[in-house]
Amino acid sequence: MKPPTLRVGLVLGAGGPLGHAYHAGVLRAIEHAHGWDPRSAHLIVGTSAGAQVGALIRAGLSGKDLAARVSGEALHPDAHAIAQHYVRPDHRKADPSLPKSRMPAAPRFLLQALQSPKNLRPGRLVSALLPEGRVNLNEQAVGLRRVFGETWPDEHLWITAVHLDTGDRVAFGAPGAPDIDVGTAVTCSGAVPGVHMPVRFRGRRYVDGGVASATHLDLLANHPLDLVVVSSPLSMFGPMGTLVRSEMRHVPKTTAVALFEPHGDALQAMGRNPMAIERSSRVAQLACETTLRELERADKKALSTLLRSSAGDT
């Protein structure tokens, strides 16, 4: 009798271009060490950079291909056919057709938040206070629509974003969320306040899901899983690592959690600027190497057993 399939969740946090590279290195290492293919994840929760990586996984890229794409190495032909449509707009190049402004992007929300202390959440307040960014993400959305069309993947993919004018969080793809295409959802999740234009969808403006949380682990509170693999690039900043650990309490106690955060050579290579895209190749390489060493540690023995069992099911 075939053993029951293990339900593995993959949580990919925010982190800019270097976060994207870090995810790729971590997943390549896990795939190499344990034969676990991230494409087999029962659920993927992606935020900002993690939303981009999650979409590429659901499109068909393996951990090896994700790292190869970041590092400029040759991809499997099928992966190349997908990856060629992925576009990362240069965050340093503003759209000249968009007017410059110093006005807060969401003054109404600022006023409401000041009148209601429960809405005084730092990330949301900063996003409302900053002016609208002038880097247009439409090219990225168009590229992903070439891969997914207007449909959502059959496999579970939840992409987080924040409604700029209310501070409400949405997890596109989750039950009850608005219907949307993957390209638009990914750009909603990655629209960094003050840098990128908020993404307009059905009369609402959406910004980076990282405004509310780097990982959104609380979304897993009522979703039964055997194992959750968490990649948290923004743990490169100490307070963010503390927040991630506090959010882990939302994961059911019956679910094993494997948390990967930048450390050692990978952390040093990332520096203090997650937007330093020129470091991506080096970060992906060192994230893979440090993760391989981490997987040899005693506290990852349970992870090894679960991932090997899961890989055997696929």
Coordinates of all heavy atoms in Angstrom, one line a residue, residues 37-85:
D37 N 11.4 18.3 -4.7 CA 11.1 19.3 -5.7 C 10.1 20.3 -5.3 O 9.0 19.9 -4.9 CB 10.6 18.5 -7.0 CG 10.5 19.4 -8.2 OD1 10.3 20.6 -8.1 OD2 10.6 18.9 -9.3
P38 N 10.4 21.6 -5.2 CA 9.5 22.6 -4.7 C 8.2 22.6 -5.5 O 7.2 23.1 -5.0 CB 10.2 23.9 -4.8 CG 11.3 23.7 -5.8 CD 11.7 22.2 -5.6
R39 N 8.2 22.1 -6.7 CA 7.0 22.1 -7.5 C 5.9 21.1 -7.0 O 4.8 21.2 -7.3 CB 7.3 21.6 -9.0 CG 8.2 22.7 -9.7 CD 8.6 22.2 -11.1 NE 9.6 21.1 -11.0 CZ 10.2 20.5 -12.0 NH1 10.1 21.0 -13.2 NH2 11.1 19.5 -11.8
S40 N 6.4 20.2 -6.1 CA 5.5 19.3 -5.4 C 4.8 19.9 -4.2 O 4.0 19.2 -3.6 CB 6.2 18.0 -5.1 OG 7.1 18.2 -4.0
A41 N 5.1 21.1 -3.8 CA 4.6 21.7 -2.6 C 3.0 21.7 -2.7 O 2.5 22.1 -3.7 CB 5.1 23.1 -2.4
H42 N 2.4 21.3 -1.6 CA 0.9 21.3 -1.5 C 0.4 22.7 -1.6 O -0.6 23.0 -2.2 CB 0.4 20.6 -0.2 CG -1.0 20.7 0.0 ND1 -1.9 20.0 -0.7 CD2 -1.7 21.5 0.8 CE1 -3.2 20.3 -0.3 NE2 -3.1 21.2 0.6
L43 N 1.1 23.6 -0.9 CA 0.7 25.1 -0.8 C 2.0 25.9 -0.9 O 3.0 25.6 -0.2 CB 0.0 25.3 0.5 CG -0.3 26.8 0.9 CD1 -1.2 27.5 -0.1 CD2 -0.8 26.9 2.3
I44 N 1.9 27.0 -1.7 CA 3.0 28.0 -1.7 C 2.4 29.3 -1.3 O 1.4 29.7 -1.9 CB 3.6 28.1 -3.1 CG1 4.3 26.8 -3.5 CG2 4.7 29.2 -3.1 CD1 4.9 26.8 -4.9
V45 N 3.0 30.0 -0.3 CA 2.6 31.3 0.1 C 3.8 32.2 -0.3 O 4.9 32.1 0.3 CB 2.3 31.4 1.6 CG1 1.9 32.8 2.0 CG2 1.2 30.5 2.0
G46 N 3.5 33.2 -1.2 CA 4.6 34.1 -1.6 C 4.3 35.5 -1.4 O 3.2 36.0 -1.6
T47 N 5.3 36.2 -0.9 CA 5.2 37.7 -0.7 C 6.3 38.4 -1.4 O 7.5 38.1 -1.2 CB 5.3 38.0 0.9 OG1 4.2 37.3 1.5 CG2 5.2 39.5 1.1
S48 N 5.9 39.4 -2.2 CA 6.9 40.2 -2.9 C 7.9 39.4 -3.7 O 7.4 38.7 -4.7 CB 7.6 41.1 -1.9 OG 8.2 42.2 -2.6
A49 N 9.1 39.4 -3.4 CA 10.1 38.5 -4.1 C 9.6 37.0 -4.0 O 9.8 36.3 -5.0 CB 11.5 38.7 -3.5
G50 N 9.1 36.7 -2.9 CA 8.6 35.3 -2.8 C 7.4 35.0 -3.7 O 7.2 33.8 -4.1
A51 N 6.6 36.0 -4.0 CA 5.5 35.8 -4.9 C 6.0 35.5 -6.3 O 5.5 34.7 -7.1 CB 4.6 37.1 -5.0
Q52 N 7.1 36.2 -6.7 CA 7.7 36.0 -8.0 C 8.3 34.6 -8.1 O 8.0 33.9 -9.1 CB 8.9 37.0 -8.2 CG 8.4 38.5 -8.2 CD 9.6 39.4 -8.0 OE1 10.7 39.1 -8.1 NE2 9.2 40.6 -7.6
V53 N 9.0 34.2 -7.1 CA 9.5 32.8 -7.1 C 8.4 31.8 -7.0 O 8.5 30.7 -7.7 CB 10.5 32.6 -5.9 CG1 11.0 31.2 -5.8 CG2 11.7 33.6 -6.0
G54 N 7.4 32.0 -6.2 CA 6.3 31.1 -6.1 C 5.6 30.9 -7.5 O 5.2 29.8 -7.9
A55 N 5.4 32.0 -8.2 CA 4.8 31.9 -9.5 C 5.7 31.1 -10.5 O 5.2 30.3 -11.3 CB 4.5 33.3 -10.0
L56 N 7.0 31.3 -10.4 CA 7.9 30.6 -11.3 C 7.9 29.1 -11.0 O 8.0 28.3 -11.9 CB 9.3 31.2 -11.2 CG 9.5 32.6 -11.8 CD1 10.9 33.1 -11.5 CD2 9.3 32.5 -13.4
I57 N 7.7 28.8 -9.7 CA 7.6 27.4 -9.4 C 6.4 26.8 -9.9 O 6.4 25.7 -10.5 CB 7.7 27.2 -7.9 CG1 9.1 27.6 -7.3 CG2 7.4 25.7 -7.5 CD1 9.2 27.6 -5.8
R58 N 5.3 27.4 -9.7 CA 4.0 26.9 -10.2 C 4.0 26.9 -11.8 O 3.2 26.1 -12.4 CB 2.8 27.8 -9.7 CG 2.5 27.5 -8.2 CD 2.2 26.1 -8.0 NE 1.7 25.8 -6.6 CZ 2.0 24.8 -5.9 NH1 3.0 23.9 -6.3 NH2 1.5 24.6 -4.7
A59 N 4.8 27.7 -12.4 CA 4.9 27.7 -13.9 C 5.7 26.5 -14.3 O 5.5 26.1 -15.5 CB 5.5 29.0 -14.4
G60 N 6.5 25.9 -13.4 CA 7.2 24.7 -13.8 C 8.7 24.7 -13.6 O 9.4 23.8 -13.9
L61 N 9.3 25.8 -12.9 CA 10.7 25.8 -12.6 C 11.1 25.0 -11.4 O 10.4 25.2 -10.3 CB 11.2 27.3 -12.5 CG 11.8 27.9 -13.8 CD1 10.7 28.0 -14.8 CD2 12.4 29.2 -13.5
S62 N 12.1 24.2 -11.5 CA 12.6 23.5 -10.3 C 13.5 24.4 -9.5 O 13.9 25.5 -9.9 CB 13.4 22.3 -10.8 OG 14.6 22.7 -11.5
G63 N 14.0 23.9 -8.3 CA 15.0 24.7 -7.6 C 16.2 24.9 -8.3 O 16.8 26.0 -8.3
K64 N 16.7 23.9 -9.0 CA 17.9 24.0 -9.8 C 17.8 25.0 -10.9 O 18.7 25.8 -11.1 CB 18.2 22.6 -10.5 CG 19.5 22.6 -11.3 CD 19.8 21.2 -11.9 CE 21.0 21.3 -12.8 NZ 21.3 19.9 -13.3
D65 N 16.6 25.0 -11.6 CA 16.4 26.0 -12.6 C 16.3 27.4 -12.1 O 16.7 28.4 -12.7 CB 15.1 25.6 -13.4 CG 15.4 24.5 -14.4 OD1 16.5 24.4 -14.9 OD2 14.5 23.7 -14.6
L66 N 15.6 27.6 -10.9 CA 15.5 28.9 -10.3 C 16.9 29.5 -10.1 O 17.2 30.7 -10.4 CB 14.7 28.8 -9.0 CG 13.2 28.6 -9.1 CD1 12.7 28.2 -7.7 CD2 12.5 29.8 -9.6
A67 N 17.8 28.7 -9.5 CA 19.1 29.2 -9.2 C 19.9 29.4 -10.5 O 20.7 30.4 -10.5 CB 19.9 28.2 -8.3
A68 N 19.7 28.6 -11.5 CA 20.5 28.7 -12.7 C 20.0 30.1 -13.4 O 20.8 30.8 -14.0 CB 20.2 27.6 -13.7
R69 N 18.7 30.4 -13.3 CA 18.2 31.6 -14.0 C 18.9 32.8 -13.3 O 19.3 33.8 -14.0 CB 16.7 31.7 -13.9 CG 16.1 32.7 -14.7 CD 14.7 33.1 -14.2 NE 14.7 33.7 -12.9 CZ 15.1 35.0 -12.7 NH1 15.4 35.8 -13.7 NH2 15.1 35.5 -11.5
V70 N 18.9 32.8 -11.9 CA 19.5 33.9 -11.2 C 21.0 34.1 -11.5 O 21.5 35.2 -11.6 CB 19.3 33.8 -9.7 CG1 20.1 34.8 -8.9 CG2 17.8 33.9 -9.4
S71 N 21.6 32.9 -11.7 CA 23.1 33.0 -11.8 C 23.5 33.1 -13.3 O 24.7 33.2 -13.6 CB 23.7 31.7 -11.3 OG 23.4 31.6 -9.9
G72 N 22.6 33.1 -14.2 CA 22.9 33.3 -15.6 C 23.4 32.0 -16.3 O 24.1 32.0 -17.3
E73 N 23.1 30.8 -15.6 CA 23.5 29.5 -16.2 C 22.5 29.0 -17.1 O 21.3 29.5 -17.2 CB 23.7 28.5 -15.0 CG 24.7 29.0 -14.0 CD 24.7 28.1 -12.7 OE1 24.0 27.0 -12.8 OE2 25.3 28.4 -11.7
A74 N 22.8 28.0 -17.9 CA 21.9 27.4 -18.8 C 20.8 26.7 -18.1 O 21.0 26.0 -17.1 CB 22.6 26.4 -19.7
L75 N 19.5 26.9 -18.6 CA 18.4 26.2 -18.0 C 18.0 25.0 -18.8 O 18.3 24.9 -20.0 CB 17.2 27.2 -17.9 CG 17.1 28.1 -16.7 CD1 18.2 29.2 -16.9 CD2 15.8 28.8 -16.6
H76 N 17.2 24.1 -18.2 CA 16.6 23.1 -19.0 C 15.7 23.7 -20.1 O 15.1 24.8 -19.8 CB 15.7 22.2 -18.1 CG 15.1 21.0 -18.7 ND1 13.9 21.1 -19.5 CD2 15.5 19.7 -18.8 CE1 13.6 19.9 -19.9 NE2 14.6 19.0 -19.5
P77 N 15.7 23.2 -21.3 CA 14.9 23.8 -22.4 C 13.5 24.2 -22.0 O 13.0 25.3 -22.3 CB 14.9 22.8 -23.5 CG 16.2 22.1 -23.3 CD 16.4 22.0 -21.8
D78 N 12.8 23.3 -21.3 CA 11.4 23.6 -20.8 C 11.4 24.8 -19.9 O 10.5 25.6 -19.9 CB 10.8 22.4 -20.2 CG 10.5 21.3 -21.2 OD1 10.5 21.6 -22.4 OD2 10.3 20.1 -20.7
A79 N 12.4 24.8 -19.0 CA 12.4 25.9 -18.0 C 12.8 27.2 -18.7 O 12.2 28.3 -18.4 CB 13.5 25.6 -16.9
H80 N 13.6 27.2 -19.7 CA 14.0 28.4 -20.5 C 12.8 29.0 -21.2 O 12.6 30.2 -21.2 CB 15.1 28.1 -21.5 CG 15.4 29.2 -22.4 ND1 16.1 30.3 -22.0 CD2 15.1 29.5 -23.7 CE1 16.2 31.2 -23.0 NE2 15.6 30.7 -24.0
A81 N 11.9 28.1 -21.7 CA 10.7 28.5 -22.4 C 9.8 29.3 -21.5 O 9.1 30.2 -21.9 CB 10.0 27.3 -23.0
I82 N 9.8 29.0 -20.2 CA 9.0 29.7 -19.2 C 9.7 30.9 -18.7 O 9.2 32.0 -18.8 CB 8.8 28.8 -18.0 CG1 7.9 27.5 -18.4 CG2 8.1 29.5 -16.9 CD1 7.9 26.4 -17.4
A83 N 11.0 30.8 -18.4 CA 11.7 31.9 -17.7 C 11.9 33.1 -18.7 O 12.1 34.2 -18.2 CB 13.1 31.4 -17.2
Q84 N 11.9 32.8 -20.0 CA 12.1 33.9 -20.9 C 11.0 35.0 -20.8 O 11.2 36.1 -21.2 CB 12.2 33.4 -22.3 CG 10.9 32.8 -22.9 CD 11.0 32.4 -24.3 OE1 11.8 32.9 -25.1 NE2 10.3 31.3 -24.7
H85 N 9.9 34.6 -20.3 CA 8.8 35.6 -20.1 C 8.8 36.4 -18.8 O 8.0 37.3 -18.6 CB 7.5 34.8 -20.3 CG 7.3 34.2 -21.6 ND1 7.2 34.9 -22.8 CD2 7.2 32.9 -21.9 CE1 7.1 34.0 -23.8 NE2 7.0 32.8 -23.3

